[in-house]
Amino acid sequence: MKQRMRVTCGVIKQAGKFLIVQRAGGTSHAFKWEFPGGKVDPGETESECMARELKEELDIEVAVGERLIPIEREESNVIIELIPFFCTIIGGEITLLEHLQLAWIDINKPIQYDLCIGDYSIVDQLRG
Ligand SMILES: Nc1nc2c([nH]c(=O)n2[C@@H]2O[C@H](COP(=O)(O)OP(=O)(O)OP(=O)(O)O)[C@@H](O)[C@H]2O)c(=O)[nH]1
């Protein structure tokens, strides 16, 4: 059976725009843009993972809201389930602890950033 990996990613909206961040060099998908998040650890719920990753990556506390439709993709024989959640910042200031840059995107305009492939499906969901 193929290995599965669950990854949560946060959809944060402010002033009508959505936050994306650029992955660092030396990681998988280096320099690609993504919604911040990461792998669900054993024994952790998806929501716990979401809140933990945003604390680790952006130094913010969030309220984890609605779960969007997950996106499944296979990469190097591993099935990656990317699970987006709407998140609201309830504490802290966004500080990039792992990523290179951030951007706030207007979802209804063409995306000018090189996103991780699965993330285009999240953008489609946000466009409704
Ligand atoms: N965080 C995040 N990962 C994504 C997105 N889209 C996407 O394909 N991925 C992929 O999902 C995987 C998540 O890995 P990650 O490196 O962010 O997770 P992590 O922080 O737990 O990793 P690490 O602790 O092993 O460094 C990567 O292969 C990444 O390329 C996204 O929007 N956000």
Side-chain angles (χ1 to χ4, degrees), residues 5-10 20-21 23 27-30 32-41 49-50 52-53 56-57 71 73 75 80-83 98-99 115-120 122:
M5 183 170 96
R6 281 186 304 158
V7 175
T8 65
C9 67
I20 57 170
V21 287
R23 292 177 72 86
T27 64
S28 60
H29 306 279
K32 294 265 186 190
W33 291 78
E34 66 181 9
F35 295 94
K39 298 175 197 113
V40 180
D41 283 345
C49 169
M50 186 75 271
R52 174 183 56 74
E53 288 284 354
E56 286 175 6
E57 295 186 351
I71 289 102
R73 194 164 54 78
E75 193 178 289
I80 300 177
E81 187 185 6
L82 183 62
I83 308 160
E98 295 182 8
H99 291 88
L115 297 181
C116 289
I117 191 79
D119 294 41
Y120 289 98
I122 300 176

Side-chain angles (χ1 to χ4, degrees), residues 78-109:
V78 177
I79 299 168
I80 300 177
E81 187 185 6
L82 183 62
I83 308 160
F85 285 92
F86 280 117
C87 292
T88 309
I89 301 175
I90 54 171
E93 294 279 329
I94 294 175
T95 309
L96 296 180
L97 300 176
E98 295 182 8
H99 291 88
L100 295 178
Q101 300 183 70
L102 65 75
W104 294 93
I105 58 168
D106 183 334
I107 213 74
N108 293 311
K109 294 198 176 140

